[in-house]
Amino acid sequence: MEKIKLGLSLLAVTILVYIFTFYVDGEMGIILISFVVIAPLISLALAVYARKNIKLTFDCDAYVPKGKKLKIRVKAEKKGVIPFGIIEIKPYMSEVFAENVKVYRFSMLKEEIKEFVIEADAQVGGNGEIGIESAWSCDFLGFFRLKLKTGIQPNILVGVIPEIPDVKASSELVRSIANVVATSENDEDNDTSMMFSSNTTPGYEHREYVQGDPLKRVNWKLSSKKSVLMVRLDEAAASVQPVVILDLYRNEKSEPKNSIRLEERIICAVFGFISALIKQGIACNFIFKGNTGDAVSESIDDPDYIEQVLLKVLAVKVEKGQRLDIRRFSDSVCACVAATTDAGEGFSAVLDAVGECESVTLIGDSVRTVNKTSYPLWFLDDDNNFKLV
């Protein structure tokens, strides 16, 4: 369409010059012909020069709270002293940001660097992407528009931080997992009460906590009695910590707008659940997709650490058609809670990698969530209570 408009404009100018030359004033017509031919060529040359001698970069914060504006700082750098015509930029913002993208135009005459700020409205929690969708070098006369193919910085990822819901400790799912953990701890104490170390202290061997020790080895019950942190010298404590899995699976046929809202609800539900466990004094091992694409595990036993782990989740782009592979985390656990955006075909393979486990439950999106497994599925309602589907 743009080429048709350009062709019609050039045709109209040619007809007017022809009429003026042969029917109005021949001498002035020759001058106009020279101008019509030379001026566009100069203007085109400047557009071509600008296309090859401009560099576009941008930066912004790595995270932005949901509902706030993300400020994107754009910088255009010019090479040489020759002035540029019109540079046209269209920003790119993924679906976690509001659809208010507009085209930005500017000229660069004497200045070598031009900077301006673009604002993006963060409206959905999750991992987003911002960049420059397209950039054009336009001539002064408006006849030519050449697309920039080099000198444009690649897109960057931005995490939109949702608000973690305050899940009630009285929620049935939280209470059921707490009961499983309490039962496992009692069983462990009974199993080890007959064991004695060289200093005749019953149970596992312990020592005082030193900086650098994994917090998952802290024996909180013994620490409370001694009023000092005590750590176990083995890994047995891990077996009485529930495992929480986050599987953000995006179907290849799903609409991005629907997917990101579903992913946000699952992220909020799983972190609300973890927060409720920590408030009950229950540490957990959280398994999610890391920035390398592989599953990683984080031991969470401090409420202040929850937000840091949330940022790690939001820093990773969700790829279509990829399930979480947890096969290298197949240790025995007392309970497993798996939060997923899709409990349909293929999710059973994820759960098969879970080691020996007393209790396996799922967290889904809503009562309409499809569950192809044999495990119970819960969802977080509007009152921040987990309900069984």
Side-chain angles (χ1 to χ4, degrees):
M1 181 60 70
E2 291 183 358
K3 292 182 179 180
I4 295 176
K5 292 181 179 178
L6 176 60
L8 293 176
S9 299
L10 292 175
L11 179 60
V13 171
T14 303
I15 293 174
L16 289 174
V17 171
Y18 177 83
I19 294 174
F20 195 93
T21 303
F22 294 97
Y23 295 97
V24 180
D25 188 334
E27 183 177 350
M28 183 59 68
I30 298 299
I31 297 175
L32 288 176
I33 291 175
S34 301
F35 176 79
V36 169
V37 173
I38 294 174
L41 290 178
I42 295 176
S43 187
L44 175 60
L46 292 176
V48 172
Y49 177 83
R51 183 189 189 189
K52 297 180 179 180
N53 292 275
I54 188 170
K55 180 180 179 182
L56 297 174
T57 57
F58 55 92
D59 65 79
C60 62
D61 294 336
Y63 300 94
V64 58
K66 178 182 176 181
K68 301 294 185 179
K69 291 184 180 293
L70 175 69
K71 295 184 180 296
I72 307 165
R73 297 169 290 276
V74 182
K75 181 168 70 173
E77 298 179 72
K78 183 183 72 171
K79 298 179 182 178
V81 296
I82 299 177
F84 289 176
I86 306 297
I87 304 300
E88 181 179 293
I89 296 176
K90 183 179 181 182
Y92 167 75
M93 302 174 189
S94 62
E95 289 76 11
V96 298
F97 299 101
E99 295 181 356
N100 56 357
V101 178
K102 63 179 181 179
V103 176
Y104 293 80
R105 298 180 179 89
F106 59 90
S107 296
M108 299 183 70
L109 302 177
K110 293 182 179 181
E111 62 268 53
E112 295 182 355
I113 296 178
K114 196 174 193 68
E115 296 180 308
F116 57 94
V117 174
I118 297 174
E119 291 188 342
D121 295 315
Q123 62 177 4
V124 182
N127 180 265
E129 192 173 4
I130 63 102
I132 297 177
E133 181 177 323
S134 61
W136 303 81
S137 174
C138 307
D139 70 308
F140 285 104
L141 299 178
F143 289 155
F144 304 101
R145 190 165 173 263
L146 307 176
K147 189 172 184 179
L148 273 62
K149 297 182 179 180
T150 59
I152 302 177
Q153 179 182 332
N155 294 349
I156 57 177
L157 300 179
V158 177
V160 178
I161 307 172
E163 184 177 355
I164 299 177
D166 184 14
V167 175
K168 297 178 176 59
S170 59
S171 178
E172 187 175 349
L173 175 60
V174 178
R175 288 191 289 108
S176 65
I177 299 301
N179 290 336
V180 172
V181 172
T183 302
S184 299
E185 286 180 340
N186 292 334
D187 291 343
E188 183 185 12
D189 290 341
N190 292 335
D191 290 342
T192 59
S193 62
M194 301 301 293
M195 299 175 59
F196 296 88
S197 63
S198 58
N199 60 3
T200 67
T201 301
Y204 298 103
E205 292 188 1
H206 295 81
R207 62 169 170 79
E208 289 190 16
Y209 174 87
V210 295
Q211 188 173 2
D213 284 336
L215 290 178
K216 69 179 182 179
R217 291 190 184 183
V218 174
N219 187 328
W220 299 103
K221 187 180 297 184
L222 181 61
S223 298
S224 63
K225 293 179 181 179
K226 291 181 172 292
S227 298
V228 62
L229 288 179
M230 302 293 294
V231 295
R232 286 177 171 171
L233 301 183
D234 49 53
E235 291 290 346
S239 63
V240 295
Q241 290 185 356
V243 168
V244 181
I245 300 170
L246 176 61
D247 176 47
L248 296 178
Y249 176 79
R250 185 178 295 187
N251 192 292
E252 294 182 354
K253 298 181 180 179
S254 62
E255 290 290 333
K257 291 182 180 180
N258 297 332
S259 296
I260 60 170
R261 295 190 179 278
L262 171 59
E263 291 157 9
E264 179 190 32
R265 290 193 292 269
I266 295 299
I267 290 173
C268 289
V270 73
F271 276 94
F273 173 73
I274 293 174
S275 180
L277 287 182
I278 301 302
K279 290 177 181 178
Q280 296 298 306
I282 301 174
C284 66
N285 290 320
F286 180 50
I287 301 177
F288 59 97
K289 181 180 177 182
N291 53 16
T292 63
D294 298 325
V296 296
S297 177
E298 292 275 359
S299 179
I300 306 178
D301 53 12
D302 186 341
D304 294 333
Y305 190 52
I306 294 177
E307 185 173 350
Q308 297 181 41
V309 179
L310 172 61
L311 296 183
K312 293 181 180 181
V313 172
L314 298 177
V316 180
K317 183 178 180 179
V318 179
E319 302 287 352
K320 289 186 176 182
Q322 292 187 7
R323 288 282 188 187
L324 190 68
D325 186 356
I326 64 170
R327 285 175 293 182
R328 66 191 186 96
F329 304 107
S330 57
D331 298 332
S332 298
V333 293
C334 64
C336 174
V337 179
T340 180
T341 52
D342 187 332
E345 300 294 337
F347 186 61
S348 295
V350 177
L351 298 179
D352 290 342
V354 179
E356 183 180 346
C357 184
E358 301 174 24
S359 171
V360 177
T361 53
L362 310 182
I363 293 178
D365 168 49
S366 67
V367 69
R368 299 180 299 276
T369 301
V370 176
N371 183 9
K372 295 289 186 179
T373 73
S374 58
Y375 302 110
L377 186 142
W378 301 73
F379 71 96
L380 189 66
D381 66 9
D382 295 335
D383 295 325
N384 293 334
N385 283 317
F386 280 101
K387 297 293 183 65
L388 184 64
V389 175

